[in-house]
Amino acid sequence: MPKGPAPAQPSHAVAIAFDGTDEGALPRRLAVREAHLARVRPAAEDGTLTLGGAILNEAGGMAGSVAITAHASLAEAQRWWAADPYLTGGVWQRVEWHASRFAPLPYRALPG
């Protein structure tokens, strides 16, 4: 089991992405959802995508996304996400980017 101090430099990028709020927002998301999932599944398998999922609104509908990727810089993460159908298809209207330095948990190593 990995032990020791956290990495000294960023190890992951966190994207908090918000869908549009117009009437076309959900249809835009649904139109490209399968293409988005087809792109992120291999990234999850190879460790690039560490965690991802939908942000839900009060009604339980999809209103955005949270994703953590194994990119040491925000620029790398932004370049990688730039090809994603949720960005190219206009689903995500605003994205907050955060560099992070994740450390292994005491009971298992982090993916990616």
Side-chain angles (χ1 to χ4, degrees), residues 43-107:
E45 290 170 4
D46 74 18
T48 300
L49 179 63
T50 304
L51 177 126
I55 295 172
L56 304 178
N57 60 24
E58 288 108 21
M62 295 178 283
S65 305
V66 174
I68 299 174
T69 56
H71 290 109
S73 76
L74 294 181
E76 289 175 40
Q78 290 166 340
R79 278 192 297 275
W80 188 82
W81 281 110
D84 192 85
Y86 278 1
L87 277 174
T88 62
V91 175
W92 291 345
Q93 298 291 306
R94 182 172 59 91
V95 182
E96 295 177 4
W97 299 97
H98 303 276
S100 185
R101 183 176 59 227
F102 290 125
L105 300 173
Y107 52 88

Side-chain angles (χ1 to χ4, degrees), residues 6-76:
Q9 300 297 317
S11 60
H12 290 74
V14 179
I16 303 170
F18 301 93
D19 294 4
T21 57
D22 58 290
E23 287 185 22
L26 182 58
R28 273 195 309 277
R29 177 180 269 266
L30 296 177
V32 298
R33 186 167 189 261
E34 287 306 315
H36 163 76
L37 293 174
R39 183 173 184 275
V40 298
R41 279 185 189 115
E45 290 170 4
D46 74 18
T48 300
L49 179 63
T50 304
L51 177 126
I55 295 172
L56 304 178
N57 60 24
E58 288 108 21
M62 295 178 283
S65 305
V66 174
I68 299 174
T69 56
H71 290 109
S73 76
L74 294 181
E76 289 175 40

